[in-house]
Amino acid sequence: MLKILFTRSRLQKKNTKMHKLFFCTQTVNKNIENQISDKQNETHLKEQHEKDVQPPVSLEDTPLEDQTDLYNKQLSFYRYQNNWRKAKVLFAQMGSKGILRDDKAYTLMIEIMRNKRRYIDAFQYFKEMKSVGFKPTQNAFASIIDIFSRESRIPKMLEFVEEMKQTGIPMTTSIYSSMIRGYAQVSEVDNMLSIFKQMKETEGLVLQPEPYNAIMHFYATTGDVDKMVQYFDEMAKDGVIPNDASWATLFLGFGHLRKIETAFDYYHRYIQSDATPTILFTSSFVSKILVPNDLIVEPRLEDFMYGRRRKPLTSNEYEKFKLWVSLSEEKMRKVLEKLRSEWNSLEASLKQ
């Protein structure tokens, strides 16, 4: 009898394992199919884009100036792809074929290398650009200044800002943003705020969210949420529309200090605005607010932490997201009510 029961138990365990394995296999296969489908769509779009910008196979009858434009379009596409290797090969081909590598080509190479954090390569192209007689463009200076800002090398950053001014190139919002970020990284708060004030006083400068975001990020990571919110609100007063990075920074700060109710208040502000929801907004809210505080009531909510970045959600995705977040908020309110009730009971017992 014991032998029969033992055998039956082993069979049940085996069936359970097979059952789990079957569904795991189905899930993995489905994920692979989705990845393949996404990859095929991405490949198709890239191939279509390459057809639009790919230089012709034969360029013998094309004037050298037009060849430069065609190759610059291809470099621009590689910048879009973040493909520094192909960009480097194409740029070298331009030199070997006698095609003019103008200031635009050099600027594109500097930007490509900056985006891929190949800072030494970017700086080499900047030096070569000057050595062959081209005046560095505004975007070239902006990339080099941003590199030294990221590396917290403030003296070198200021050196290139001064060189840019001497060549007659005006400051831009992106350059001010890089400087603010650089000072924030080394905690030079006075200089950070001084540059921000200087930026706002610059005539004719169109303000963008990035400088505000840089200051907000500094206060979010140092735990001063009130200051973070102050600069978020200042954006609206200055007529600047917050972007996704602005909202993501807010949720980062609220998440650090567990200001969950405040985070939900700002979430509703976003929902009530005309902003188009994106994966960056939803993923930051889920990963910084819902997950750390055990507020995921619908497992599929975590799907919004992955996938397409900075692209609008479909209306169907957006409605699902709002519905599931409303359930999370309901759970949060119940938890807080329970905690407050327990705290009031504790206070009452201590007074007796």
Side-chain angles (χ1 to χ4, degrees):
M1 185 68 180
L2 287 171
K3 188 175 182 181
I4 292 170
L5 289 172
F6 178 74
T7 305
R8 185 181 295 172
S9 175
R10 287 183 65 185
L11 285 171
Q12 286 176 344
K13 286 181 180 178
K14 188 174 182 180
N15 287 336
T16 303
K17 286 180 180 179
M18 291 297 292
H19 186 72
K20 288 180 178 178
L21 180 61
F22 172 76
F23 281 103
C24 285
T25 306
Q26 275 197 326
T27 304
V28 170
N29 287 340
K30 188 175 180 182
N31 289 339
I32 291 172
E33 286 172 4
N34 290 337
Q35 288 174 12
I36 291 172
S37 176
D38 292 342
K39 191 68 178 176
Q40 286 173 343
N41 290 336
E42 182 182 351
T43 303
H44 173 72
L45 289 171
K46 286 182 178 178
E47 286 174 353
Q48 188 61 44
H49 195 106
E50 284 190 46
K51 286 180 183 177
D52 295 338
V53 298
Q54 184 73 32
V57 176
S58 176
L59 293 170
E60 287 82 2
D61 299 328
T62 309
L64 285 177
E65 296 82 5
D66 294 340
Q67 289 186 30
T68 298
D69 290 340
L70 287 169
Y71 275 92
N72 282 348
K73 285 180 182 178
Q74 186 66 18
L75 285 175
S76 181
F77 175 60
Y78 288 146
R79 179 183 60 180
Y80 161 79
Q81 279 189 321
N82 271 332
N83 195 331
W84 67 271
R85 288 185 176 87
K86 286 188 176 180
K88 204 167 185 178
V89 170
L90 190 69
F91 189 78
Q93 285 178 358
M94 291 175 73
S96 63
K97 292 180 179 180
I99 298 169
L100 175 67
R101 298 188 291 195
D102 59 6
D103 55 350
K104 183 178 179 181
Y106 276 103
T107 300
L108 285 167
M109 290 304 298
I110 293 166
E111 290 176 334
I112 291 167
M113 296 304 166
R114 186 277 308 268
N115 293 342
K116 294 301 292 181
R117 297 185 179 273
R118 298 187 64 84
Y119 298 152
I120 294 175
D121 286 338
F123 194 61
Q124 288 298 327
Y125 283 118
F126 185 83
K127 286 169 62 178
E128 185 181 325
M129 183 183 192
K130 294 198 292 184
S131 68
V132 296
F134 288 116
K135 176 183 173 183
T137 62
Q138 190 177 64
N139 286 347
F141 271 115
S143 294
I144 297 299
I145 291 167
D146 186 58
I147 287 171
F148 287 116
S149 164
R150 294 182 187 189
E151 293 291 291
S152 301
R153 296 177 62 183
I154 305 303
K156 292 295 289 184
M157 178 187 78
L158 296 176
E159 178 186 320
F160 281 94
V161 169
E162 191 58 36
E163 182 182 335
M164 185 191 72
K165 288 179 179 178
Q166 288 176 2
T167 60
I169 296 175
M171 294 285 287
T172 64
T173 307
S174 66
I175 293 171
Y176 277 120
S177 180
S178 294
M179 295 180 71
I180 290 168
R181 194 184 309 113
Y183 282 125
Q185 287 183 173
V186 295
S187 299
E188 293 187 18
V189 182
D190 290 341
N191 286 328
M192 177 184 77
L193 297 179
S194 175
I195 291 295
F196 183 75
K197 183 181 178 183
Q198 182 183 327
M199 177 198 73
K200 293 182 70 173
E201 292 173 351
T202 303
E203 292 185 11
L205 190 69
V206 178
L207 297 178
Q208 300 292 338
E210 285 73 20
Y212 298 85
N213 294 348
I215 293 183
M216 285 170 55
H217 189 272
F218 170 76
Y219 287 121
T221 53
T222 54
D224 195 338
V225 172
D226 293 336
K227 282 281 188 182
M228 177 190 74
V229 171
Q230 176 188 323
Y231 282 93
F232 182 82
D233 293 338
E234 191 170 329
M235 255 195 283
K237 292 177 184 176
D238 295 339
V240 179
I241 299 174
N243 59 15
D244 281 356
S246 311
W247 293 95
T249 304
L250 273 181
F251 297 142
L252 172 67
F254 293 142
H256 274 329
L257 295 186
R258 300 273 176 157
K259 289 184 172 288
I260 312 306
E261 283 185 290
T262 310
F264 272 99
D265 290 341
Y266 275 85
Y267 161 82
H268 287 297
R269 279 180 58 174
Y270 180 93
I271 297 299
Q272 291 162 9
S273 70
D274 294 329
T276 305
T278 68
I279 288 294
L280 181 60
F281 168 77
T282 56
S283 65
S284 61
F285 187 75
V286 172
S287 63
K288 303 301 180 187
I289 304 300
L290 300 186
V291 171
N293 295 285
D294 193 27
L295 293 174
I296 295 288
V297 295
E298 169 55 59
R300 284 171 290 181
L301 246 179
E302 296 203 36
D303 293 343
F304 290 93
M305 292 171 60
Y306 311 101
R308 301 160 299 154
R309 304 290 290 185
R310 296 183 180 275
K311 290 188 178 180
L313 274 66
T314 64
S315 57
N316 188 35
E317 287 175 327
Y318 190 31
E319 291 305 315
K320 283 181 181 178
F321 177 77
K322 288 195 293 185
L323 172 63
W324 293 336
V325 169
S326 66
L327 297 175
S328 295
E329 185 172 12
E330 186 179 337
K331 179 181 178 181
M332 182 266 295
R333 301 291 179 198
K334 287 180 180 177
V335 170
L336 288 178
E337 284 175 14
K338 183 181 177 182
L339 289 172
R340 284 170 184 146
S341 175
E342 291 175 352
W343 177 255
N344 291 334
S345 297
L346 180 62
E347 277 191 324
S349 64
L350 289 172
K351 288 179 181 177
Q352 290 177 353

